[in-house]
Amino acid sequence: MPGQRVFLHSRTLPVRMVAPSLKLQDLIEEIRGAKTQAQEREVIQKECAHIRASFRDGDPVHRHRQLAKLLYVHMLGYPAHFGQMECLKLIASSRFTDKRVGYLGAMLLLDERHDAHLLITNSIKNDLSQGIQPVQGLALCTLSTMGSAEMCRDLAPEVEKLLLQPSPYVRKKAILTAVHMIRKVPELSSVFLPPCVHLLHERHHGILLGTITLITELCERSPAALKHFRKVVPQLVQILRTLVTTGYSTEHSISGVSDPFLQVQILRLLRILGRNHEESSETMNDLLAQVATNTDTSRNAGNAVLFETVLTIMDIHSAAGLRVLAVNILGRFLLNSDRNIRYVALTSLLRLVQSDHSAVQRHRPTVVDCLQETDASLSRRALELSLALVNSSNVRAMMQELQAFLESCPPDLRADCASGILLAAERFAPTKRWHIDTILHVLTTAGTHVRDDAVANLTQLIGGAQELHAYSVRRLYNALAEDISQQPLVQVAAWCIGEYGDLLLEGNCEEIEPLQVDEEEVLALLEKVLQSHMSLPATRGYALTALMKLSTRLQGDNNRIRQVVSIYRSCLDVELQQRAVEYDTLFRKYDHMRAAILEKMPLVERDGPQADEEAKQSKEAAQLSEAAPAPTESQASQLLDLLDLLDRASGDAQHPPPLDPSPGGALVYLLDLPCAPPPPAPIPDLKVFEREGVQLNLSFIRPPENPALLLITITATNSSEGDVTNFICQAAVPKSLQLQLQAPSGNTVPARGGLPITQLFRILNPNKAPLRLKLRLTYNHFHQSVQEIFEVNNLPVESWQ
Amino acid sequence: YASLYFCCAIEDQDNELITLEIIHRYVELLDKYFGSVCELDIIFNFEKAYFILDEFLLGGEVQETSKKNVLKAIEQADLLQEKTETMYHSKSFIGFKKAY
């Protein structure tokens, strides 16, 4: 206000104020001088009190200074809401200083969620029509920063008018304000669409840039607008071509690249217009190739343009050669010394790896090298991309690289790397053995980071690879002997040792160095797992069950196992306790069934996680199962003899019956588990042999799920005064039936009711042919060798009908 | 840049490398304005930093790609401010940098 002199002279102090208000920069200094947060708070609270008082008193002269100070403390995180109304007053003032700070305050303090913000609408309207460019600039800036939908609707006509103003300064701001308005009120598109085509003819870079941004926004929001603007593609191509070819203009260039901001914006709009549109894509093909090949890539500005070009090429209908060029540019980016450029390359290649797989494959070696990046965001993307690049032809090489990476990678990438390797191995494993080896390696390197289903997957895999049982159990045994801390590994190893313990002790396996393992060592190892504080409860469960299974797989006596089982009957862990009690009962009361119950596991059908769950549950309940181990050599040859005796041709008995897919469940009722199927009427036992106190009994089981299967357990008992030693039992059946003998529990029946020998026979009788069974017994008793051959009479019809 | 750190939030489809150029350009503008900008310049003149930013970006988009034009606009605004201030402060006016 001219003529009026209201001033703060250093010698005059207005009566109402205690002290002259601090200058902004003095306050900043005082705040920075505070040594503690409490001190800072004190300074600020004191000053805010002054500011509040000043606002209350309505001092117009220093209002802008007070607000400026308030904005500073607001930036530090202190409350400043009481300044909101002051912003309004400052904006309404005619003094430019006031407006500058007032509008800044509005942008920082006013919130479209509170109604107070609407109060500046009128001031903005006035300022927009005043014709003072810096003021118009402030108003437009504020409107495009915090303008709510309501404000935008109210002020759209004003902004539209400014689009046609001669001054480029105001026009460029009006255009970008229009962009904001459309974002807030999409219906305003109809207002701002018409001027666009005309604006494209402008030469001013700021106006051009704003226009292209506006067109981009319109096209992204409306398919109709998209269609409308396709016709400017040739014009856009021309603008970009001119930019690129007419060369250096000091005003707009960065490192020899003409206005990279404008180039990038044009390329982005071209991408939107060319997407899914053959004709537009064709129009821009040549230009894109030109930009891709001619842009100077020594500095970031050029690379930014190149990057946008690549994105556009990949998104439109470009010629195949152009696409390959684009992927190669990304490949080159991977070798750039600038980390940021490697980053955008990896992210983009990840997006393209599905659609342009072979083009990206060409850069596989470079991608694998990027695994060694020290920067976490880079190595993570390199890992993702590497995993996506694994296919059946490069799987071996890639897995080697990835496994090497797994050993040294940072902990937060371990889980992803491990599961990635396992997934890729599952999809592309060239051989089962390689697959098992790979999983084994992952379990030993990063066992604690694998997913929960890795254990189930591996046991499933091993179970199905019969020829690799010996190999697997040996490797697992060795791994376990070295380290019992990695739980998934321990679980799988325990399971395998339990299942294939007999193969472990055999000593031969061509693929691995011969290893002499004796029974005591195996039992000791399992006991170690059982007792270790590192073992999870589930792991201990596996170990206990494995020990129990070994009672039928090993040759020696089972005292040690019985002892361990007995101890765990009073274990605090309920699961272990239950298992131990059940196993102990198995020893004591159902010993004749033990071999049948602890048979090898069946191969579960892999429908997916569901099947695996069922497999786990059936394992945990220790039910009777129906897998088929191959009979041993000696038994096979002697069976031939027996079959000759039956006047049949030889050969059938050696073939193992086909793997039965249904999971076990027959003897569930024996162990009193709640979800048992209704039990079939039990077939009575049959005494088939007796001589001098040595007796042989047969017990029969027909599992309800598999009517063709008959399980016979023979039990040899000895009530005499002399031990029975070297006991061997062989059997033969008619040709239409298939017979398999499992390893007997032992060769010795001690005198006077000592521990009996049990052995399981599996007979498959799909045709329900009448069952005939011939047995051959050899043993030593009272210093004599005994041999008995006989056919079993009185076999119950239920055993085969 | 001498102990200056910048944090920029962009959208999914935005070009990261051009964002870097935007940050570079902004620092250059500050540099030209303050003469070898350092952290203290920005702290003690935070409102100026905002004003310069507002001449370079608008509503989150680049509005002016010519360094010269941006600096000219700031100069004009500062001049206008100076002019209006001389109407209010007669002898105690020192310069626009310390007007507050």
PDB file of all heavy atoms in Angstrom, chain A residues 531-544:
ATOM      1  N   GLN A 531      18.049 -87.899  20.185  1.00  0.00           N
ATOM      2  CA  GLN A 531      18.367 -87.238  21.436  1.00  0.00           C
ATOM      3  C   GLN A 531      18.813 -85.789  21.269  1.00  0.00           C
ATOM      4  O   GLN A 531      18.824 -85.033  22.226  1.00  0.00           O
ATOM      5  CB  GLN A 531      19.492 -87.997  22.155  1.00  0.00           C
ATOM      6  CG  GLN A 531      19.018 -89.325  22.715  1.00  0.00           C
ATOM      7  CD  GLN A 531      20.165 -90.299  22.809  1.00  0.00           C
ATOM      8  OE1 GLN A 531      21.331 -89.920  22.706  1.00  0.00           O
ATOM      9  NE2 GLN A 531      19.835 -91.569  22.998  1.00  0.00           N
ATOM     10  N   SER A 532      19.181 -85.411  20.055  1.00  0.00           N
ATOM     11  CA  SER A 532      19.782 -84.088  19.864  1.00  0.00           C
ATOM     12  C   SER A 532      18.789 -82.968  20.153  1.00  0.00           C
ATOM     13  O   SER A 532      17.637 -83.023  19.747  1.00  0.00           O
ATOM     14  CB  SER A 532      20.296 -83.961  18.437  1.00  0.00           C
ATOM     15  OG  SER A 532      20.589 -82.623  18.159  1.00  0.00           O
ATOM     16  N   HIS A 533      19.262 -81.934  20.807  1.00  0.00           N
ATOM     17  CA  HIS A 533      18.378 -80.803  21.088  1.00  0.00           C
ATOM     18  C   HIS A 533      18.138 -79.972  19.838  1.00  0.00           C
ATOM     19  O   HIS A 533      17.290 -79.103  19.811  1.00  0.00           O
ATOM     20  CB  HIS A 533      18.973 -79.918  22.194  1.00  0.00           C
ATOM     21  CG  HIS A 533      20.265 -79.288  21.799  1.00  0.00           C
ATOM     22  ND1 HIS A 533      21.457 -79.964  21.897  1.00  0.00           N
ATOM     23  CD2 HIS A 533      20.566 -78.086  21.283  1.00  0.00           C
ATOM     24  CE1 HIS A 533      22.436 -79.185  21.481  1.00  0.00           C
ATOM     25  NE2 HIS A 533      21.914 -78.043  21.092  1.00  0.00           N
ATOM     26  N   MET A 534      18.918 -80.232  18.802  1.00  0.00           N
ATOM     27  CA  MET A 534      18.715 -79.490  17.555  1.00  0.00           C
ATOM     28  C   MET A 534      17.538 -80.058  16.762  1.00  0.00           C
ATOM     29  O   MET A 534      17.026 -79.409  15.867  1.00  0.00           O
ATOM     30  CB  MET A 534      19.975 -79.587  16.693  1.00  0.00           C
ATOM     31  CG  MET A 534      21.124 -78.790  17.246  1.00  0.00           C
ATOM     32  SD  MET A 534      22.504 -78.751  16.103  1.00  0.00           S
ATOM     33  CE  MET A 534      23.193 -80.375  16.327  1.00  0.00           C
ATOM     34  N   SER A 535      17.138 -81.282  17.115  1.00  0.00           N
ATOM     35  CA  SER A 535      16.093 -81.924  16.316  1.00  0.00           C
ATOM     36  C   SER A 535      14.722 -81.398  16.693  1.00  0.00           C
ATOM     37  O   SER A 535      14.360 -81.360  17.852  1.00  0.00           O
ATOM     38  CB  SER A 535      16.131 -83.435  16.531  1.00  0.00           C
ATOM     39  OG  SER A 535      17.356 -83.944  16.102  1.00  0.00           O
ATOM     40  N   LEU A 536      13.967 -81.054  15.660  1.00  0.00           N
ATOM     41  CA  LEU A 536      12.590 -80.640  15.889  1.00  0.00           C
ATOM     42  C   LEU A 536      11.755 -81.849  16.290  1.00  0.00           C
ATOM     43  O   LEU A 536      12.137 -82.988  15.996  1.00  0.00           O
ATOM     44  CB  LEU A 536      12.002 -80.070  14.596  1.00  0.00           C
ATOM     45  CG  LEU A 536      12.639 -78.792  14.057  1.00  0.00           C
ATOM     46  CD1 LEU A 536      12.046 -78.497  12.690  1.00  0.00           C
ATOM     47  CD2 LEU A 536      12.369 -77.634  15.003  1.00  0.00           C
ATOM     48  N   PRO A 537      10.613 -81.636  16.919  1.00  0.00           N
ATOM     49  CA  PRO A 537       9.754 -82.763  17.287  1.00  0.00           C
ATOM     50  C   PRO A 537       9.418 -83.656  16.089  1.00  0.00           C
ATOM     51  O   PRO A 537       9.453 -84.886  16.210  1.00  0.00           O
ATOM     52  CB  PRO A 537       8.498 -82.095  17.842  1.00  0.00           C
ATOM     53  CG  PRO A 537       8.960 -80.777  18.331  1.00  0.00           C
ATOM     54  CD  PRO A 537      10.105 -80.368  17.467  1.00  0.00           C
ATOM     55  N   ALA A 538       9.138 -83.043  14.954  1.00  0.00           N
ATOM     56  CA  ALA A 538       8.808 -83.846  13.770  1.00  0.00           C
ATOM     57  C   ALA A 538       9.985 -84.725  13.380  1.00  0.00           C
ATOM     58  O   ALA A 538       9.834 -85.888  13.024  1.00  0.00           O
ATOM     59  CB  ALA A 538       8.432 -82.939  12.610  1.00  0.00           C
ATOM     60  N   THR A 539      11.184 -84.143  13.467  1.00  0.00           N
ATOM     61  CA  THR A 539      12.382 -84.900  13.115  1.00  0.00           C
ATOM     62  C   THR A 539      12.551 -86.099  14.031  1.00  0.00           C
ATOM     63  O   THR A 539      12.891 -87.197  13.589  1.00  0.00           O
ATOM     64  CB  THR A 539      13.619 -83.997  13.211  1.00  0.00           C
ATOM     65  OG1 THR A 539      13.366 -82.790  12.518  1.00  0.00           O
ATOM     66  CG2 THR A 539      14.845 -84.683  12.656  1.00  0.00           C
ATOM     67  N   ARG A 540      12.307 -85.884  15.309  1.00  0.00           N
ATOM     68  CA  ARG A 540      12.472 -86.989  16.248  1.00  0.00           C
ATOM     69  C   ARG A 540      11.449 -88.081  15.959  1.00  0.00           C
ATOM     70  O   ARG A 540      11.738 -89.269  16.095  1.00  0.00           O
ATOM     71  CB  ARG A 540      12.329 -86.477  17.669  1.00  0.00           C
ATOM     72  CG  ARG A 540      13.434 -85.488  18.019  1.00  0.00           C
ATOM     73  CD  ARG A 540      13.177 -84.772  19.301  1.00  0.00           C
ATOM     74  NE  ARG A 540      13.572 -85.594  20.425  1.00  0.00           N
ATOM     75  CZ  ARG A 540      13.185 -85.373  21.669  1.00  0.00           C
ATOM     76  NH1 ARG A 540      12.375 -84.370  21.941  1.00  0.00           N
ATOM     77  NH2 ARG A 540      13.595 -86.155  22.645  1.00  0.00           N
ATOM     78  N   GLY A 541      10.276 -87.643  15.529  1.00  0.00           N
ATOM     79  CA  GLY A 541       9.270 -88.620  15.129  1.00  0.00           C
ATOM     80  C   GLY A 541       9.772 -89.479  13.986  1.00  0.00           C
ATOM     81  O   GLY A 541       9.645 -90.718  14.000  1.00  0.00           O
ATOM     82  N   TYR A 542      10.356 -88.824  12.980  1.00  0.00           N
ATOM     83  CA  TYR A 542      10.928 -89.566  11.858  1.00  0.00           C
ATOM     84  C   TYR A 542      11.967 -90.572  12.347  1.00  0.00           C
ATOM     85  O   TYR A 542      12.020 -91.724  11.905  1.00  0.00           O
ATOM     86  CB  TYR A 542      11.626 -88.600  10.885  1.00  0.00           C
ATOM     87  CG  TYR A 542      10.745 -87.992   9.824  1.00  0.00           C
ATOM     88  CD1 TYR A 542      10.214 -86.721   9.984  1.00  0.00           C
ATOM     89  CD2 TYR A 542      10.470 -88.675   8.643  1.00  0.00           C
ATOM     90  CE1 TYR A 542       9.425 -86.149   9.017  1.00  0.00           C
ATOM     91  CE2 TYR A 542       9.689 -88.094   7.649  1.00  0.00           C
ATOM     92  CZ  TYR A 542       9.173 -86.831   7.840  1.00  0.00           C
ATOM     93  OH  TYR A 542       8.401 -86.259   6.870  1.00  0.00           O
ATOM     94  N   ALA A 543      12.827 -90.111  13.267  1.00  0.00           N
ATOM     95  CA  ALA A 543      13.928 -90.964  13.727  1.00  0.00           C
ATOM     96  C   ALA A 543      13.403 -92.184  14.467  1.00  0.00           C
ATOM     97  O   ALA A 543      13.889 -93.309  14.278  1.00  0.00           O
ATOM     98  CB  ALA A 543      14.879 -90.154  14.614  1.00  0.00           C
ATOM     99  N   LEU A 544      12.415 -91.958  15.292  1.00  0.00           N
ATOM    100  CA  LEU A 544      11.870 -93.068  16.071  1.00  0.00           C
ATOM    101  C   LEU A 544      11.231 -94.103  15.147  1.00  0.00           C
ATOM    102  O   LEU A 544      11.441 -95.313  15.295  1.00  0.00           O
ATOM    103  CB  LEU A 544      10.842 -92.538  17.076  1.00  0.00           C
ATOM    104  CG  LEU A 544      10.343 -93.556  18.090  1.00  0.00           C
ATOM    105  CD1 LEU A 544      11.510 -94.071  18.920  1.00  0.00           C
ATOM    106  CD2 LEU A 544       9.289 -92.950  18.995  1.00  0.00           C
TER     107      LEU A 544
END
